[in-house]
Amino acid sequence: MDGLRELSVGQQAMWFLQRLAPGSTAYTMMVAVRVRGPLDVARLRRATDAVVARHEMLRSVFAEVDGVPYREVADLPSPLAVIDVGPVEEEVLHERVTRAGKAPFDLGRTGAFRVTLVRRTPDDAVLILVAHHIVSDAMSQWLVLRDLLWAYEEGDDPGWPELTRTFDDYVRAEQDLLASPRRPRLERHWREVCAGATAARLPTDRPRPARPSLRGAATVVSFSERTGARLIEDSRAAGVTPFATVFAALQAVLHRYVGTGDFLVGCPASTRFGGGMRNVVGYFANTLPIRANLTPETTFGQAAVAAHQGMVRAMANAALPSALIGDLSPNRAPLFHVAVNLLSMDAMDPALPLAVDGSVEGPETTFRGLRLAAYDVSQMEGQFDLTVDVRKAASVFTAVVKYDTDLFDAPTVERFAAHFRRAVESNVPNLPVGRLSLVDESEARLLLALGTA
C-alpha cells in the first residue's frame, strides 16, 4: 500500500451510496466493443496491465477509517478475465456480456476496475471495460479504452500522452477552492438557482421506499437521421447546442406530467478544470440542478435558449460539488429526482458510431489495427427516479430512459419514453409547449372509440 489518499467530495458521496446498497450496480460504468478478427489474449493482458500501471485509480481500493473513506493504491492481480461462451446466438451473447458487466464490485478488497473478454470464437469477441463511478466517468472510460488499444498495438512503447498531473492534484485543488473566498460566491449562485423551486417528480406506480435499493431498468428511444439532422439545423439557427434543444423537449414533457413549469432537473457536468487533467482517469463529474421556468405559451425555441443559458451558467459555477449544493437547501430536500445527460460519441477517441436503428451493435470501424464496433450494454440504472441519457453520433441520436424499479413499472416508463420521442419529433421552434400533443394517432383513435362506447 502507498498510504491513505483523501477522496474528492463526489467520491465520498459515491462511497456512501455504495455502502447504502452494496449489491447495486447503479454506479457501475461499462464500455463494450465488438472485436472481429484474431485477438491475442497474452498481448491483451500485457496491455491491460500496462494501462493499470499508468492509471493508479484503476488499482485503488477503498477503506473507511473512523467513519471517513480513503483511497489506497494496492498491488492487485491483473484485472483481465476471459469467458468463452462458444458460438451462441446474439441474444445469449448480449445476456452474458451484460451479466459479466454487472457483477458488483468489492471496493475494499478487489478494487473498482476490471476488463472482461467474452469470446464466441477466436475471431469474434466482446471486450468490456467495467469501472465503479468512484474511480471513473464517461470520458475516463474512453481514455482507458484508447490507452488499452494503443498498448495492444504498440507493445512496450505505446506513445501515450504524458501524464503531468494526478487525481490527488484534483482533490487538493478542490479543497483549496472550498477554503477560498470563491466558495461563498458559488454558494450564492446556487441558492439563487434553487430558491423556491422543487425537484421535478413524476407520479409513481408505488410509494417511495424508506431505503432505496438503487436498482433499475431501461428502455431505448431511437430517432431517425432526418430528425437528428433537423435538431442540429434548428439548434444551429437558434445559437444553442442540440443537447439544449433535446433538453427543452424533455422539460416540455415534464411540464405536462408534473403540472408546473418551475422545477429542477439534474444535469451532469465535467469538472476537468485546468491543464493537465485531460488524460487523467478519475471521477470528474458533478450533477448540477438546472431550473426550468415554462408556461404553456413558452415556445420550444424559447425553452431551448433558456436551457442553453441555464447550462452555460451551471458550467461557470460547476466547481461547487453537488453534495454541497444540496446542503444549501433549508430542508435538505433532494435537488432532483430526474436527470438528463448527453454523451457526444463524436468527441470520443476512438469515435465508434452508433447503430442508426438503435440496435445493440453499431457499424464496424478500424482502430489501431483492430476491427471494432460499439456494443450497447444497459448500465447505471436506478440512480434517480428517471434518467434520460441522450447519445449523439453525427446526426444519429438515441436516448436511454433509465428508471428506478422501486417506483415504476415498465409500461409507465415506456409511455413516458413515447411522449418524449413525440416531443423531440414535434419540436418546432415557434410551437408553444402547451400545444404539444402527447397523443399519437393510434391513441387518439382509441380515446375516440372509448368516448363513443
Side-chain angles (χ1 to χ4, degrees):
M1 300 292 185
D2 288 348
L4 299 177
R5 314 290 182 89
E6 293 185 88
L7 305 187
S8 69
V9 174
Q11 285 183 308
Q12 293 173 38
M14 285 294 110
W15 169 258
F16 288 114
L17 284 168
Q18 187 69 11
R19 291 288 300 275
L20 179 68
S24 169
T25 57
Y27 293 94
T28 299
M29 313 185 71
M30 287 177 267
V31 167
V33 292
R34 190 73 172 261
V35 185
R36 307 277 189 179
L39 199 60
D40 185 326
V41 172
R43 188 173 168 186
L44 179 63
R45 188 175 303 279
R46 289 193 297 271
T48 301
D49 294 344
V51 170
V52 171
R54 170 174 165 83
H55 300 290
E56 69 169 33
M57 197 64 73
L58 303 181
R59 58 183 192 276
S60 294
V61 296
F62 295 81
E64 195 170 306
V65 179
D66 297 329
V68 178
Y70 292 93
R71 177 173 69 89
E72 297 175 313
V73 180
D75 183 15
L76 297 173
S78 176
L80 174 65
V82 180
I83 302 174
D84 286 301
V85 297
V88 296
E89 298 294 330
E90 290 294 328
E91 293 79 6
V92 176
L93 176 66
H94 190 262
E95 187 275 331
R96 295 297 299 272
V97 168
T98 302
R99 189 195 312 171
K102 289 193 172 183
F105 284 106
D106 182 344
L107 298 181
R109 187 174 63 87
T110 58
F113 175 73
R114 63 177 178 265
V115 179
T116 304
L117 184 69
V118 181
R119 284 195 304 199
R120 292 180 75 243
T121 70
D123 294 341
D124 184 11
V126 178
L127 180 65
I128 324 166
L129 278 60
V130 190
H132 192 282
H133 210 353
I134 199 169
V135 301
S136 190
D137 57 17
M139 180 63 74
S140 294
Q141 290 292 92
W142 287 87
L143 286 174
V144 174
L145 177 62
R146 180 204 67 183
D147 286 358
L148 178 62
L149 296 177
W150 282 19
Y152 181 85
E153 182 195 42
E154 300 183 15
D156 295 335
D157 186 18
W160 289 322
E162 182 183 1
L163 296 178
T164 59
R165 302 187 70 191
T166 68
F167 194 80
D168 287 335
D169 294 325
Y170 172 81
V171 173
R172 284 189 289 270
E174 180 183 77
Q175 293 171 342
D176 290 345
L177 179 139
L178 295 178
S180 75
R182 190 183 172 200
R183 177 174 181 171
R185 295 196 295 270
L186 293 171
E187 291 177 339
R188 188 180 314 115
H189 168 81
W190 289 114
R191 282 195 184 95
E192 291 173 356
V193 168
C194 300
T198 57
R201 179 183 292 185
L202 302 179
T204 63
D205 295 315
R206 285 173 293 282
R208 193 176 300 274
R211 186 183 180 91
S213 68
L214 297 181
R215 297 186 186 277
T219 187
V220 178
V221 179
S222 299
F223 302 100
S224 67
E225 285 193 89
R226 181 179 178 182
T227 295
R230 181 182 55 77
L231 284 173
I232 294 170
E233 181 180 346
D234 289 347
S235 301
R236 186 181 297 117
V240 303
T241 65
F243 184 35
T245 301
V246 176
F247 193 4
L250 176 63
Q251 290 176 335
V253 177
L254 291 171
H255 173 36
R256 301 289 288 274
Y257 268 73
V258 304
T260 178
D262 189 2
F263 52 79
L264 298 173
V265 174
C267 184
S270 173
T271 55
R272 289 179 183 269
F273 306 128
M277 287 295 172
R278 179 175 176 81
N279 292 293
V280 176
V281 168
Y283 179 75
F284 295 96
N286 192 19
T287 304
L288 302 170
I290 307 295
R291 187 166 184 169
N293 196 351
L294 306 178
T295 70
E297 291 74 34
T298 303
T299 67
F300 275 94
Q302 291 169 336
V305 170
H308 178 81
Q309 292 172 344
M311 288 187 287
V312 169
R313 288 192 295 269
M315 280 303 305
N317 294 275
L320 188 67
S322 177
L324 300 183
I325 298 174
D327 290 343
L328 302 176
S329 172
N331 56 3
R332 298 177 67 87
L335 291 172
F336 32 79
H337 296 286
V338 177
V340 61
N341 186 28
L342 175 72
L343 179 62
S344 177
M345 304 297 291
D346 304 321
M348 299 303 173
D349 182 20
L352 300 179
L354 301 174
V356 175
D357 60 358
S359 57
V360 169
E361 188 173 335
E364 187 177 291
T365 187
T366 301
F367 183 84
R368 294 281 166 171
L370 294 173
R371 293 161 51 205
L372 308 175
Y375 194 84
D376 204 6
V377 184
S378 63
Q379 56 184 293
M380 302 184 74
E381 303 105 337
Q383 293 183 9
F384 302 105
D385 292 9
L386 197 77
T387 303
V388 181
D389 278 356
V390 180
R391 299 174 299 183
K392 174 185 177 296
S395 60
V396 177
F397 288 78
T398 61
V400 182
V401 183
K402 307 173 185 179
Y403 60 97
D404 185 339
T405 50
D406 285 344
L407 303 177
F408 298 108
D409 295 324
T412 301
V413 178
E414 289 166 2
R415 186 166 54 252
F416 179 90
H419 291 157
F420 173 58
R421 177 194 289 112
R422 187 164 181 80
V424 171
E425 293 174 344
S426 305
N427 189 338
V428 178
N430 61 358
L431 176 70
V433 298
R435 292 181 58 190
L436 169 66
S437 174
L438 299 182
V439 180
D440 62 22
E441 290 184 12
S442 62
E443 291 173 317
R445 286 195 297 268
L446 176 62
L447 292 172
L448 288 171
L450 290 173
T452 57

